[in-house]
Amino acid sequence: MSYRTLLRDHRGLLGIAFLAMFSSSLGQSFFIGLFQVPIGERLGLSAGEFGTAYALVTLASGFAMLRLGPSIDWVAPRRFALAVLLALLAGILLLTLSPGWLVGLLGLGLVRLCGQGMMSHLGNTLAGREFTALRGRALGLAGLGLMLGETLLPPLVAALLVWLGWRELWWSLAAAVALAWLLMLGGAPWPAAPRSRRDRQASREGPRPFREARFWRLLPLLMVLPITMTGLFIYQAHLTEAMGSSLASYSLALTGMGLAKLPGALLGGHWVDRLGPVRLARLYLLPFALALLLALTLGGHLTVWALMMGGGLGMGAQEAIATSLLVRLWGAEHLGRVRATLSAAMVFSTGIAPALVGLALDLGASFTLVLAGMLALLVGSWWLAQGVLASPEARGATP
């Protein structure tokens, strides 16, 4: 079945997942970073204090995901979406109207938890759970929601700030998202919860990924790309200096990365359905690995483009691969719990990664050595996951 047919037959459910992924943009780092200065001034925080506070609320949202994320396995998706939307809007109001830094940080935490965390959790879980043979394509289409946010919102914010203050802009975007959700809540065909409330205790007795060796062996493979790309984003000045490139070239390459996510998502979803997530999991990091090798041997503007494009292709395909693998190994009925555990691990790791890279640089390591460490981490993560990918559950379970 083609993407066109999938959209024709399941546009309502795909629209829910797509809107959830787009709505997660309001809590993503790329969007909040656009308002770092006015938010810091509003809360009376310096740049360093804001960064520390941001890291702390992000880590807190990761712990909250462990607690709240599995509830999508027994709460009706429509009710789940409404609760997350209301909490997101409450967080935006607290952040923009806060009388002091404590209330403002509570609002920021809600925006991070419900935006980056729960909205993306809702979109990916629905697409991964409600589709079977077409799971990869459905996840690829849902992921386009976040890509649209990453592409559309930064220039839109820059344009609207000419006429609106930062708080009025937040309120306008929140109102537009809320209106879209009201239409979706009232008119879309919402699926039922996979388990009833009576089965809640049984759900709690389901898998505990943190207690399983196969989860820990698979986790580095799924985290290596977010970790390394976060390090490249944060230390872009060191990257361009080490490569003999420029920040202007990096900025253009960053746009190329965003464009590369589109074929990564669509082709990745298509190939997951045709070849299976196991085979794709062994291959999808290859473009980024080759880019790291190119950076270690050549340098120059080309290597910056290679890193961003290779990372973009991998990030575009990763969600379809990761979610399909989780379904293969733990089953669709427990997808909410396992995805919440993976999401929390992602939050923790990407929060710690910049600190580790910064420590290495402070100790005198060159950025070329940091890139070599990233390549070693990628190869080690790939090797560690091979036993899990070769297991009967991964190879033979029905997707």
Side-chain angles (χ1 to χ4, degrees):
M1 181 181 291
S2 67
Y3 277 110
R4 180 178 299 177
T5 307
L6 183 63
L7 284 168
R8 184 193 66 203
D9 295 343
H10 303 281
R11 60 180 178 272
L13 183 56
L14 288 170
I16 296 170
F18 181 91
L19 180 58
M21 295 301 293
F22 178 81
S23 302
S24 75
S25 300
L26 298 183
Q28 298 284 351
S29 295
F30 81 87
F31 183 76
I32 296 176
L34 299 172
F35 303 93
Q36 183 268 317
V37 173
I39 291 176
E41 291 175 351
R42 172 77 182 180
L43 302 182
L45 301 175
S46 67
E49 291 169 340
F50 180 86
T52 300
Y54 188 79
L56 290 175
V57 299
T58 298
L59 291 175
S61 72
F63 283 109
M65 279 291 299
L66 287 174
R67 177 71 177 176
L68 300 174
S71 63
I72 199 173
D73 286 336
W74 60 80
V75 174
R78 185 177 181 180
R79 183 180 301 174
F80 185 94
L82 180 60
V84 173
L85 174 64
L86 292 176
L88 175 62
L89 296 177
I92 291 173
L93 290 177
L94 289 175
L95 177 61
T96 55
L97 298 174
S98 61
W101 64 269
L102 185 59
V103 176
L105 291 182
L106 174 61
L108 180 61
L110 281 173
V111 170
R112 291 287 285 158
L113 170 63
C114 298
Q116 182 200 37
M118 302 296 275
M119 277 294 184
S120 59
H121 183 54
L122 169 64
N124 284 315
T125 301
L126 279 182
R129 188 171 66 197
E130 301 301 324
F131 293 87
T132 53
L134 304 173
R135 182 176 294 122
R137 289 177 174 88
L139 286 163
L141 288 172
L144 296 182
L146 178 56
M147 296 176 204
L148 177 64
E150 292 173 333
T151 305
L152 176 64
L153 290 179
L156 181 63
V157 167
L160 292 180
L161 282 176
V162 176
W163 295 283
L164 300 174
W166 74 273
R167 295 193 301 169
E168 290 77 12
L169 180 51
W170 270 86
W171 300 335
S172 300
L173 291 174
V177 168
L179 177 60
W181 272 110
L182 287 177
L183 296 174
M184 198 66 72
L185 289 167
W190 287 82
R195 294 174 183 265
S196 69
R197 185 174 292 275
R198 293 192 303 274
D199 296 327
R200 180 171 178 172
Q201 185 61 37
S203 294
R204 287 179 172 176
E205 295 172 357
R208 295 291 189 273
F210 279 149
R211 299 181 183 179
E212 297 187 38
R214 61 178 178 170
F215 182 78
W216 288 104
R217 294 183 65 183
L218 186 63
L219 188 59
L221 179 72
L222 302 180
M223 292 198 309
V224 65
L225 195 56
I227 289 173
T228 52
M229 293 303 292
T230 298
L232 296 180
F233 294 154
I234 298 298
Y235 295 99
Q236 56 189 260
H238 293 78
L239 168 66
T240 54
E241 181 181 0
M243 295 297 100
S245 185
S246 65
L247 289 176
S249 180
Y250 170 85
S251 298
L252 292 173
L254 200 60
T255 302
M257 181 198 73
L259 296 175
K261 286 183 178 181
L262 177 60
L266 296 180
L267 292 176
H270 176 76
W271 288 336
V272 163
D273 290 337
R274 294 199 60 177
L275 304 177
V278 172
R279 191 173 299 176
L280 264 293
R282 291 193 171 111
L283 298 174
Y284 83 105
L285 291 177
L286 183 59
F288 187 61
L290 293 175
L292 285 171
L293 189 61
L294 189 65
L296 291 172
T297 54
L298 292 181
H301 299 299
L302 177 62
T303 59
V304 175
W305 274 86
L307 287 169
M308 294 299 107
M309 297 290 285
L313 288 170
M315 286 190 293
Q318 172 153 319
E319 193 54 59
I321 296 169
T323 301
S324 298
L325 270 177
L326 297 183
V327 174
R328 278 279 184 99
L329 293 168
W330 283 278
E333 67 273 17
H334 298 297
L335 182 58
R337 176 182 296 277
V338 183
R339 274 212 85 264
T341 306
L342 176 62
S343 297
M346 293 282 193
V347 170
F348 299 149
S349 63
T350 54
I352 294 172
L356 293 178
V357 174
L359 178 61
L361 294 174
D362 288 344
L363 292 175
S366 67
F367 203 80
T368 302
L369 183 60
V370 170
L371 291 174
M374 290 179 176
L375 180 59
L377 176 63
L378 189 154
V379 173
S381 300
W382 181 89
W383 175 81
L384 187 64
Q386 294 311 299
V388 180
L389 297 177
S391 67
E393 296 89 348
R395 289 184 292 106
T398 301

